[in-house]
Amino acid sequence: MKYVIALLVVLTNATGVFAGGYDDSVNWPLCGRISESPPVNWQATAGCPVDRQGSAGYSDYPLSSTFGPRQKASAGYRYDYHRGIDIPTAINTPVFAVSAGKVLIAGEHSAYSDPLVQIEHRRPGASSCRAGGGCYYSNYMHLASWVVASEAQVNKGDLIGYTGVSASGFSHLHFEVRDANPADLYSRWQRDAVHPLRVLPYNRSQSNPITVAFSEVQSLGGNAMQVSLRIEQAAASQRLDLVKVSVRAYRWRANAGEYQEVIQPGNSPDDSGFYAHPTFLDFEQNNFDYSHKDSVSYSWASFANCPYAEDHPVAYLANIHLDAHDPADPSIGYFNGQYIAPDQFNAYSSVYGLTLSFAPVLSDDQGPSLTCLVAEATDVAGQQVFAEWGDCAREAGFEAAALVEAPSAAIHNKVR
C-alpha cells in the first residue's frame, strides 16, 4: 500500500555555528581563486593576502563535488562516498595553507595515489596536539608540485604547492579536513574526515536553500515502512553544506494530549558504538563508523565488532562499506538499510539533489496510516528544514520543528 503524500517545509533559524575548535580566520586553499584575477603586482610566493583570510567573500566556489554521497564522473558515474570537496581549476594553480601548522606529508606517500601536502593544525589556544583537545589536519591532494618539505612550519596563507590532475585526468584540487577525536588525539585516518565547510569561511547567516520532501511511503507489513525523501540544495547559493538527513515517527497519544516519538532501535548505538539501520544519514557519522583504519597497522580483527564485519576483504579497502551499491544500479548506494541516490553533479549544476530511502521505519502497533512522520535536513551551521507526512494535524498550530530535538553532539565526542 502506498499513501498520499502531504508536504510542509519549515525553515528554522540557525542554531549556531559548529564549535569544532578551528581557526576562525582561515583562507580557502586557492585564496578565493586569486590567480584567476590577481591583485596588481601580486605573486603566488607572496601568499594569500591577509584581507582574504577569514572572509566569506573570497571563496573557491564553484565546487564540482561536495562532502558525502555523489556519482563519480571519472568512474562511469558509479556511487561514491566523498570525504572532501573538489575545486576544479587549471593545472599549476597555486595552493595555500588554510591555517598555520606543521607539514606532515609533502609529495608522494604510499597511502595516497597522487602527491599531496598534509598539514597538522593545533586548535586555537592549544600548546600541543594533546593539550586543548587534539589537532585537526588539512589535506591538499592531486598536486603537480609542492614547495614545502615534511616537518616544515608554515604560516596561514603560505604557498605550499600547485594543483595537478587526478588519475582520471581531471584537473582539480581535492581538499579534506580530518579532525582528531578526543579518544584518539593524533588520529588522521580517512574515518576522521569532516565536511571542510566546518572550517572554511562562507556565508552561513542567510537562510539555507535546502528543501526536503517525502516522495514515497510504502508499507512493509505490520508496523514497518520504507520511507523515501527528496532533498535538494541550490548550488548557486554557494553552500553545498548538507550534513544530515533524518526521519522520525510520532504517534498521537490522546490521554497525554501530545505526540510521542516512536523509538527506532537503529537510532541508538549498539554496544560497540555503531549505528545499524538508523533512520538518519549523518554524512560524518557514517564516515566515522564505517571507514575503518588501515589493516596493515590495525588488523581487521580490531573491527570484528562492526555489524558488517563479514564483508571485510582480506586486504584493506576503506570504501568497502560506504561505496557499496545497489546490485541493480551502480549509481545508487545501498548499505545499512539505506538506498542513497545522488544526482549527477558538476561545477555547472544548479542543484545538488539526493533521493534517500530508509527501511524499516517503525510506527507503533496502530500501523503507518496513523503515524506522523517528520523529515529533517541539517547543514553544518545547524540550520534545519523540515517536512511532515501523515497523521500530524492533531495539535492546533502543529509545527514539525517543535517535535525535533536540538542537533546531536559532534560525532567525535564518541569513544570507540
Side-chain angles (χ1 to χ4, degrees), residues 157-211:
D158 280 358
L159 177 69
I160 59 173
Y162 294 88
T163 62
V165 299
S166 63
S168 67
F170 174 40
S171 58
H172 71 287
L173 177 72
H174 173 90
F175 177 75
E176 291 184 8
V177 173
R178 299 186 180 184
D179 191 353
N181 63 85
D184 193 0
L185 292 175
Y186 295 100
S187 182
R188 50 191 170 99
W189 302 95
Q190 293 181 85
R191 71 199 298 254
D192 297 306
V194 298
H195 201 309
L197 291 178
R198 290 208 181 277
V199 176
L200 297 172
Y202 69 105
N203 192 344
R204 304 168 188 244
S205 61
Q206 295 180 348
S207 295
N208 201 330
I210 297 177
T211 60

Side-chain angles (χ1 to χ4, degrees), residues 213-225:
F214 286 90
S215 56
E216 183 175 81
V217 179
Q218 183 173 2
S219 175
L220 299 178
N223 67 337
M225 300 169 280

